[in-house]
Amino acid sequence: MTTAFCLSTAVMAAQSYKKDSLQIKSYATIEYSNNEVKDIELLKVLCDYCSDFQKKIIGEEVLRRSFNERFDPKNRIKNGKKKLAIYIRIAKKDLAAIKEE
């Protein structure tokens, strides 16, 4: 009986993040030339409920994460552009706290 209670509590806790947070999808590209990173570019932040300032701050985080992904073997190419889809999960209250001062 206690095992069933612990499992149901764990499942409910694992799903509670959906109520409290938002998932924001964004796109970036990493341009390679001779196996070296030439440029990292933010393409788009998809967030219907974000202000322009919030999109700018989230875009900076996307660029930082793209920079960290540049040497991952699955993202490396010899020449050309690698497109990345980056998901950011943020608490609703943390997103609301991003304000222009």
Side-chain angles (χ1 to χ4, degrees):
M1 186 67 162
T2 58
T3 306
F5 175 73
C6 291
L7 287 175
S8 66
T9 304
V11 168
M12 289 188 322
Q15 293 176 350
S16 68
Y17 71 87
K18 291 182 180 180
K19 292 187 287 184
D20 300 339
S21 65
L22 304 168
Q23 181 171 302
I24 300 168
K25 187 175 185 177
S26 56
Y27 295 103
T29 59
I30 303 175
E31 186 176 348
Y32 290 93
S33 178
N34 295 325
N35 267 347
E36 293 184 14
V37 176
K38 184 177 176 185
D39 187 33
I40 299 175
E41 180 182 3
L42 174 67
L43 296 178
K44 190 172 220 172
V45 175
L46 300 173
C47 183
D48 295 336
Y49 31 79
C50 297
S51 68
D52 289 336
F53 182 74
Q54 289 170 329
K55 285 183 182 181
K56 178 183 174 223
I57 298 298
I58 292 168
E60 290 172 4
E61 176 64 17
V62 169
L63 289 174
R64 187 187 67 75
R65 290 186 186 191
S66 299
F67 184 78
N68 291 337
E69 291 283 327
R70 72 192 186 283
F71 293 126
D72 189 351
K74 67 181 179 192
N75 293 330
R76 286 192 69 101
I77 55 177
K78 186 168 179 150
N79 290 309
K81 290 185 178 184
K82 173 68 178 176
K83 295 179 183 176
L84 299 175
I86 297 179
Y87 295 88
I88 295 178
R89 184 166 293 282
I90 186 170
K92 291 177 184 178
K93 64 180 180 178
D94 292 339
L95 182 67
I98 301 173
K99 296 178 183 172
E100 203 167 0
E101 293 186 36

